[in-house]
Each structure stands twice: as C-alpha cells, then as structure tokens.
Amino acid sequence: MIRRFNSTGRVAIPRSNAAVTLRRLEQVGSGSPVGDPTASAVETRWSFDLKLSLDRFRFPADARIRVEAWRGTASQRWDWGTVGRSAPPDETGRILKDVPETCLFRVSVIEAGDTGLLLGLADRLRPKLPVESLLPLVSGDLGGEVWRLDYGQGDDLVVLKVNEGLPDFSRAVRTDPGFRALVMPQVLRSILERALLVDREDPAEPEGRWSPWFDLAGDILPGRDPPVVDRDAQDDRIAQADLWIDDVVEAFSADRVKALDGYRQAWQGG
C-alpha cells in the first residue's frame, strides 16, 4: 500500500532555505578506458550537500525530515533526522545511486507518528553543479546520430547525449577541437532557442529553468540583454531574439571555442 501525505496547511519552504550542491567523486574502477588496456578506468559518482535552515518556521522539534531526488521515474530517498535533531547521512550515504546528477530534489517536513501530515515542503530544488557540469554528458544508443540534446521534463537539466560508439566520449567532447568546432556552437544555439522561442522564459526570472544559460550568455555577450519573448510576441520581437542568439553564438565561437580554427585543424589532420 502506498502511503500518501496529508498536505493540508503545509508551509512552502523557500528555495533559499534549502540549498542543494552536488560534488563530483572520482573512484578508480577495475575496468580500462577505451584504447588504453593498461590504465584503470575512473568512475565518476556524485554526492550532494544540503544546507537546510528551518529556524524561522515553527515546526515541532520531533517532526521528521525527508529528502528525495528524482528524474523521470527514477528516485532516491534519505531520512534526515528531525527538525530538532538533524541527522544527515555521511558522504557515502549521500551518493546518488539511483538517480543521475541531472535530478531535482525535494525536502519534506512530516509530522511525527503515523498521521503522514506534511507540515512543510521545499519542492523542485535544482542542485548547484560545478561550472563545468552546466551541460552534463551521458552516453547512449543514438543509432546513427553522433549527439543529441535531451531536455527531459519540467525543470530537468538539459543533457548532452553522445553516441556510445564514440570512444572515450567525455574526452572527445571536452578536448577534441573538431568535435567542439562542429557541435558546441549548435548546442548553445539550440538551448537558447528552446529557452527564448519555445519555452518563452523571462530572462529576468532568477530561478527559471534557463537562468544559468542566460547568465552564461551574458558572460559571452556582455552588455546585451536578451529580449523578452512572451506568448503574444510580435514577429519583430521574435526577430530580435533570433539576432541576439546569432550574436551570442558568434561571440562564443570566436572567443571560447575557436570553432573555425578547430574545424580547420581537424580537417587538415584527416
């Protein structure tokens, strides 16, 4: 039987009171990377830290705290002690085993006993990732495609999927000039088009799904704010958004990826 929470009168806990940060843990495994039979494979796993502040809320000291992470149908749950006596798991206990680093979190405060009364909830918490993990990489069976963007659902982080047939895909994505020249500018363009022209997110929304990408675009093209494209936007506003995206990608290619030089080097190298 699935227990359901009674959420009558629950308190909405602001995200500022429940901050989740992910940390990369690298462990040496027993396998070997593709192309190097003498080396040990490095397995990347993720652990999380939760900075939780409940002092401003008058929850009973014996109310239980529960933390959950999920993406799609996958989920993982942790007991976090009580309001009066927090008892988070140690680092090993906080490793993400059943969910990817692209998951979302929620923190629930539940009345002690068997009532199941949900006293407080911080929901859809997007964890802070290391800077280099703004676009997580995963390998997968993509058929004849080399790469594909996976936007997930709702507030999920966008993921760059790379064909599992590409040897040492993580190194190729991050360091190979040919791959970066051909792929990364289009990745940025696709994400900004999704944010502005499909989801029509307000770039000024600090907790929006695409706010980290708008921040990145601001670093790439300083002094040029993206236009707001609402659902009733006229053609001229959409054209302004297209132009802004073009300019961001052009600046990204010139200053960050050196796309043309990278492609030329890859082409001349065969």
Side-chain angles (χ1 to χ4, degrees), residues 46-76:
W46 295 86
S47 180
F48 75 95
D49 297 316
L50 171 64
K51 187 176 181 180
L52 185 63
S53 176
L54 300 177
D55 293 342
R56 57 176 285 196
F57 309 103
R58 297 182 178 179
F59 296 128
D62 60 352
R64 293 176 288 118
I65 301 173
R66 179 174 297 168
V67 180
E68 184 178 4
W70 85 97
R71 180 181 172 97
T73 58
S75 64
Q76 190 173 347

Side-chain angles (χ1 to χ4, degrees), residues 108-269:
S108 305
V109 179
I110 308 158
E111 187 176 62
D114 297 326
T115 65
L117 181 64
L118 185 60
L119 303 177
L121 179 68
D123 201 9
R124 306 191 71 80
L125 302 173
R126 184 186 296 111
K128 182 178 180 180
L129 285 160
V131 173
E132 71 273 13
S133 298
L134 182 58
L135 183 68
L137 304 175
V138 298
S139 63
D141 182 5
L142 301 183
E145 290 184 86
V146 175
W147 64 276
R148 180 191 305 167
L149 288 174
D150 180 2
Y151 292 100
Q153 298 178 351
D155 288 338
D156 289 346
L157 286 175
V158 61
V159 171
L160 177 59
K161 285 189 172 181
V162 182
N163 197 302
E164 61 189 6
L166 181 65
D168 200 0
F169 77 93
S170 180
R171 181 201 60 79
V173 172
R174 298 194 185 282
T175 65
D176 181 78
F179 189 96
R180 292 176 66 82
L182 294 172
V183 173
M184 299 313 293
Q186 182 56 44
V187 165
L188 179 60
R189 182 184 300 279
S190 297
I191 291 173
L192 294 179
E193 287 177 346
R194 173 67 179 255
L196 271 184
L197 302 179
V198 177
D199 291 355
R200 304 286 177 99
E201 182 170 292
D202 184 350
E205 172 54 55
E207 294 186 348
R209 179 186 186 185
W210 301 110
S211 59
W213 289 96
F214 288 131
D215 290 343
L216 174 62
D219 292 338
I220 295 171
L221 194 68
R224 289 275 305 279
D225 294 332
V228 176
V229 184
D230 57 31
R231 295 297 173 184
D232 299 321
Q234 301 298 312
D235 290 345
D236 61 337
R237 180 52 63 97
I238 295 174
Q240 290 176 22
D242 281 330
L243 179 60
W244 178 81
I245 293 171
D246 285 343
D247 290 344
V248 172
V249 174
E250 181 180 357
F252 175 74
S253 300
D255 297 334
R256 301 296 181 89
V257 182
K258 305 295 184 183
L260 185 58
D261 289 344
Y263 179 74
R264 184 182 296 114
Q265 292 172 12
W267 181 269
Q268 291 173 347

Side-chain angles (χ1 to χ4, degrees), residues 32-103:
S32 301
V34 175
D36 187 357
T38 64
S40 297
V42 176
E43 179 186 6
T44 298
R45 306 188 75 178
W46 295 86
S47 180
F48 75 95
D49 297 316
L50 171 64
K51 187 176 181 180
L52 185 63
S53 176
L54 300 177
D55 293 342
R56 57 176 285 196
F57 309 103
R58 297 182 178 179
F59 296 128
D62 60 352
R64 293 176 288 118
I65 301 173
R66 179 174 297 168
V67 180
E68 184 178 4
W70 85 97
R71 180 181 172 97
T73 58
S75 64
Q76 190 173 347
R77 191 173 68 186
W78 299 264
D79 290 323
W80 215 261
T82 64
V83 171
R85 191 171 183 177
S86 177
D90 60 20
E91 182 176 73
T92 302
R94 301 196 306 273
I95 290 177
L96 304 183
K97 298 179 180 179
D98 302 325
V99 292
E101 73 273 17
T102 55
C103 61

